[in-house]
Amino acid sequence: MLSTSAPTSTAAGDISPRLAGLGGLAFVAIVIAQNVLRGSAPDNGATPAEVLQHYADHRSITFVLITTFVLSGAGLVVFLGGAMRRLITSDRPGWAYTGFAGALGILALFSVLVGCEQALSVVADGASPDTGAVAALWALHN
């Protein structure tokens, strides 16, 4: 029979509520920092030349964004693990599965976004960038 009460102690090596909370706060803080660092990106309707110029000028920022994406993803996963641990054993397990699905969606969306930005940085650094590839990557990014 499944217990309907929240766990009262944390097994050795399990995610504590404090660690889960720190993971959630780390995720939020890193995402805010990423948005500040990202600054002004080209508009959605930017020409391939404008997009190329932006990513050629901001290669180091793109690298930092990739690094911080990994850190923010780890924070989100730790938060999610702690939240699921608590909610699965409660009388509200549906919220655990809803949060899990939402977090997977966030990680997938951010992965595509960061992958597009890295690809745009690589294309922008090439000798003769293909404007068709830039337009396709920019459309996928947006």
Side-chain angles (χ1 to χ4, degrees), residues 18-32 75 79:
R18 177 172 285 148
L19 183 60
L22 289 173
L25 290 173
F27 172 75
V28 170
I30 292 169
V31 169
I32 290 170
F79 170 74

Side-chain angles (χ1 to χ4, degrees), residues 24-113:
L25 290 173
F27 172 75
V28 170
I30 292 169
V31 169
I32 290 170
Q34 287 171 327
N35 285 318
V36 169
L37 181 65
R38 181 171 280 118
S40 61
D43 293 331
N44 289 346
T47 66
E50 293 169 332
V51 173
L52 278 172
Q53 187 62 46
H54 173 79
Y55 282 96
D57 293 342
H58 295 91
R59 285 184 54 88
S60 59
I61 290 174
T62 302
F63 178 76
V64 171
L65 290 173
I66 290 169
T67 305
T68 57
F69 166 71
V70 173
L71 296 174
S72 68
L76 179 60
V77 169
V78 169
F79 170 74
L80 183 62
M84 287 203 60
R85 178 181 183 274
R86 184 174 187 103
L87 290 172
I88 288 275
T89 59
S90 74
D91 60 345
R92 303 175 308 263
W95 288 113
Y97 296 113
T98 302
F100 181 74
L104 287 179
I106 288 170
L107 288 172
L109 180 66
F110 283 10
S111 295
V112 170
L113 178 76

